[in-house]
Amino acid sequence: DIVMTQSPDSLAVSLGERATINCKSSQNVLYSSNNKNYLAWYQQRPGQPPKLVISWASTRESGVPDRFSGSGSGTDFTLTISSLQAEDVAVYYCQQYYRSRTFGQGTKVEIK
Amino acid sequence: QVQLQESGPGLVKPSQTLSLTCTVSGGSISSPDDYWSWIRQHAGKGLEWIGYIYYDGSTFYNPFLTSRVTISVDTSKNQFSLKLTSVTAADTAVYYCARGELVWVDWGQGTLVTVSS
């Protein structure tokens, strides 16, 4: 089982400031044959199902604002919100799909 | 856009079988491009993938749940279903159905299932 560990568990950021969430996998999720990282990020607002934000570690989904970006490779990944907006308050999860499917424990993003 | 809706009992007794159905609208469950998944979320905790099914009936389950899980598809009703046997309090969660194999773009709103006597 690939264990996904996110840090921090929560963070408070001022409006317009940068928010950075880290995700570490217990095993490599980079598939060497296609050079793709099997890593996604989701946003979950209260009372809502998760929303896919980024797949393949850095590919933004259609309609997702460009203030969201994903980076990293292998076992270490980052989701960055470049300028936090009020509507970005949510819990963010990373998920690997290299072997089976597992999620991180979530990071709660709040406004400072 | 595909829409999904979960349905089923909100309360299940310990040791019994949890049964849920997901109705798909706005798309065909028989599409060769799509896979249909179940995912659950324990209260205040993270997400756990349960498994998926393809329209031809082939399945792939979470190794930690595979002994208790069955996912089936009914193409005539555009539905797919989840059965989880021998439930305990640890199976209390919000259960989501979703479209996708690797990642999930379209989700149902989720249904809370409580395991309690």
Side-chain angles (χ1 to χ4, degrees):
Chain A
D1 192 28
I2 298 179
V3 177
M4 309 299 290
T5 303
Q6 293 181 226
S7 62
D9 288 334
S10 65
L11 75 160
V13 176
S14 300
L15 288 173
E17 296 299 305
R18 179 186 300 263
T20 301
I21 302 168
N22 300 302
C23 175
K24 188 174 184 66
S25 59
S26 62
Q27 299 175 34
N28 175 52
V29 299
L30 172 64
Y31 193 35
S32 56
S33 66
N34 59 12
N35 200 37
K36 286 190 170 186
N37 286 284
Y38 282 54
L39 189 285
W41 290 96
Y42 295 83
Q43 173 194 68
Q44 187 176 30
R45 298 184 175 117
Q48 295 294 315
K51 173 188 175 183
L52 180 64
V53 176
I54 285 173
S55 59
W56 305 114
S58 60
T59 301
R60 248 189 332 269
E61 291 300 302
S62 174
V64 173
D66 61 7
R67 63 180 179 272
F68 289 87
S69 62
S71 62
S73 185
T75 61
D76 292 281
F77 300 89
T78 300
L79 175 70
T80 301
I81 309 172
S82 60
S83 176
L84 191 74
Q85 304 299 304
E87 60 265 32
D88 302 333
V89 169
V91 179
Y92 292 83
Y93 296 92
C94 60
Q95 176 233 331
Q96 67 80 21
Y97 43 102
Y98 181 89
R99 183 176 300 121
S100 188
R101 318 282 182 266
T102 52
F103 292 85
Q105 81 276 17
T107 295
K108 187 174 185 178
V109 175
E110 300 173 305
I111 303 294
K112 185 187 292 184
Chain B
Q1 183 181 356
V2 172
Q3 295 184 324
L4 302 99
Q5 179 66 59
E6 306 88 353
S7 59
L11 181 63
V12 182
K13 289 182 166 53
S15 80
Q16 294 191 343
T17 297
L18 179 160
S19 297
L20 295 174
T21 296
C22 182
T23 301
V24 178
S25 57
S28 173
I29 205 164
S30 299
S31 166
D33 297 328
D34 292 324
Y35 292 76
W36 306 95
S37 294
W38 287 98
I39 297 154
R40 69 181 182 179
Q41 186 167 31
H42 298 95
K45 295 184 180 179
L47 296 149
E48 181 178 32
W49 172 72
I50 298 170
Y52 68 65
I53 191 165
Y54 193 47
Y55 78 99
D56 65 358
S58 56
T59 54
F60 182 35
Y61 299 142
N62 183 325
F64 291 95
L65 295 171
T66 189
S67 63
R68 298 196 292 131
V69 172
T70 302
I71 298 176
S72 59
V73 65
D74 187 336
T75 55
S76 67
K77 295 182 179 178
N78 225 36
Q79 295 176 334
F80 64 107
S81 298
L82 168 70
K83 290 190 186 301
L84 182 66
T85 62
S86 304
V87 297
T88 69
D91 294 309
T92 294
V94 173
Y95 286 75
Y96 294 100
C97 57
R99 182 174 68 94
E101 177 197 7
L102 301 178
V103 297
W104 305 281
V105 175
D106 298 312
W107 296 65
Q109 283 301 305
T111 187
L112 173 63
V113 179
T114 301
V115 178
S116 175
S117 56

